[in-house]
Amino acid sequence: MIHIDQLGFAYNGQPVLTDVTAHISPGECVALLGANGSGKSTLLMLLTGLYTPIQGRVRVGEIRSPGQQKSLRRSVGLLLQDADLQILGATVQEDLELGLGAEQKDRDAAWDLAGRFALQDKWETPVQHLSGGQKRKLCLAGMLLRHPGVLLYDEPFSGLDYPAMLELRSLLKANAAQGITQIVAAHDVEPLIGVASGCLVLYQGELIYSGSLSDVMDDLARYNVRPPCSWQREKRLLDWE
Ligand code: ADP
């Protein structure tokens, strides 16, 4: 369970998140929606222990912040928008095995995940020779390997072509089926329809909505989030009826 309790954060004295309270159940896949600058990335940074709250607190399972940011960083995986900032190893193998124990089962798990993300034939490839899509897959594989319980994604659909988008949707669904708790920050809701089981909407640093995705569709435009084309089409059809 993730508890966010009256959370507040500021950069250089400028408040960017105010009094955010939300609860996320284990295994939920939550869409974190909001326009650029609404505070989505900052909230993810607080949930991963990379930032410390200036007000309120977060709790992921039994780990709390403020207080246990280091443990939080170990327990919660964050997929950054820019894969180049996340890849640390020189080759696919090195990156996946970084920080793993010496046990054979850990190495086998890394190899298996490379297979799941079609990276086994790139095992010894220098990471700078990977395509953008392969780099993102490497980051996803690393995240699943190290933080299997709670995964956060910062705008993971940005820049993906259609097949990659479908692949990511399948991965999110498969993770949810395995009981992994996921929060997906996005400024565009369309790729998350049929995937997200719940929704949080941030507007100018405040949590303006917490509930189901379908119940907020009519209000998204008011919060500067584009309603999905499919929804608008459906609404128009309903209006005609
Ligand atoms: P989002 O992810 O929704 O685009 P962010 O959390 O990145 O929103 O940003 C929220 C607000 O905080 C924005 O006004 C942004 O300009 C500001 N901000 C983000 N990062 C920094 C930073 N490192 N220093 C100062 N202000 C920042």
Side-chain angles (χ1 to χ4, degrees), residues 73-104:
R73 286 203 288 276
R74 275 198 296 270
S75 305
V76 179
L78 172 63
L79 185 80
L80 300 173
Q81 281 185 50
D82 184 351
D84 285 321
L85 293 178
Q86 190 143 17
I87 295 172
L88 298 173
T91 63
V92 168
Q93 176 184 12
E94 204 178 297
D95 190 72
L96 280 181
E97 293 186 350
L98 217 67
L100 290 187
E103 287 184 48
Q104 188 57 40

Side-chain angles (χ1 to χ4, degrees), residues 216-234:
V216 77
M217 291 295 190
D218 281 335
D219 296 322
L220 283 178
R222 199 183 313 158
Y223 307 136
N224 292 339
V225 177
R226 183 176 66 82
C229 300
S230 54
W231 181 260
Q232 290 169 20
R233 229 173 11 248
E234 213 171 291

Side-chain angles (χ1 to χ4, degrees), residues 158-169:
S158 302
L160 293 193
D161 61 14
Y162 188 50
M165 183 194 98
L166 294 180
E167 226 175 298
L168 182 56
R169 279 174 57 90

